Amino acid sequence: MAEYQLKLSEHDIEDTRTQTMDEIFQFINSMDGRPLAVITLDSEQSMLWDQEGEVDYQDNYGRQIIAQVSDGITETLVIRNIDGLPVALASLHNLEGWQGIGIDKRLRFEIASMLMNDETEFE
C-alpha cells in the first residue's frame, strides 16, 4: 500500500481569508465613485457560473458582459447571480483595460453586505 502524503497549507486559513478579503476590499475601494453597471445573471447562467469543466463560463460570460457595458461611460461592474449575490467585480483601467476579480462562493454574502447589495442601492 502506498504511503499517503499529507498536503498541508503553508498559510493559516484565517490569514488566507483575511488576505483575500483585503484584496477584494481594495478592489471595491478602487471602484468607489465611478460609473457603475450592475448585471444580474439569469438562473441558467447563475448555475453555470460556478460549474467547473471544459467550458470556462465565468470567462465566457464575463467577456460578453464587458462587451455590452463598454459604452465609454461605465467604468465599474458588479456581476450578481440570480440570488443577488456578487460573483465578480470588474473595473476599467486606462492602461490595462478591464480588470476583474471573482468572488468565492464562501465570501459572497459577506461581500454583498460590504457592497450594501440591496435593490434600492442600484435604482
Side-chain angles (χ1 to χ4, degrees):
M1 186 166 136
E3 185 176 339
Y4 185 76
Q5 297 292 323
L6 293 175
K7 294 182 180 178
L8 302 175
S9 173
E10 295 177 14
H11 305 288
D12 179 6
I13 291 174
E14 190 57 36
D15 288 344
T16 303
R17 184 180 186 289
T18 301
Q19 180 181 0
T20 301
M21 289 299 292
D22 287 346
E23 287 177 28
I24 294 170
F25 186 70
Q26 287 174 9
F27 199 94
I28 291 169
N29 280 340
S30 76
M31 296 170 61
D32 192 36
R34 299 170 63 198
L36 171 72
V38 178
I39 304 296
T40 303
L41 303 172
D42 65 24
S43 59
E44 180 182 4
Q45 293 166 329
S46 293
M47 180 190 67
L48 293 173
W49 184 270
D50 293 316
Q51 188 175 10
E52 293 185 21
E54 292 181 27
V55 178
D56 185 346
Y57 288 102
Q58 292 180 13
D59 184 58
N60 289 346
Y61 292 150
R63 289 180 188 277
Q64 291 174 26
I65 292 167
I66 293 295
Q68 292 175 19
V69 301
S70 294
D71 57 7
I73 298 170
T74 302
E75 296 179 10
T76 60
L77 172 66
V78 175
I79 302 174
R80 303 186 303 179
N81 63 17
I82 192 74
D83 299 318
L85 297 176
V87 296
L89 307 172
S91 182
L92 181 60
H93 298 278
N94 291 335
L95 301 176
E96 299 96 25
W98 284 92
Q99 302 295 309
I101 187 168
I103 308 296
D104 185 273
K105 288 181 189 180
R106 297 167 289 189
L107 300 176
R108 290 178 183 165
F109 184 78
E110 190 170 348
I111 298 302
S113 298
M114 192 184 259
L115 291 170
M116 292 184 286
N117 190 4
D118 129 27
E119 292 300 320
T120 60
E121 286 291 317
F122 301 118
E123 292 180 340

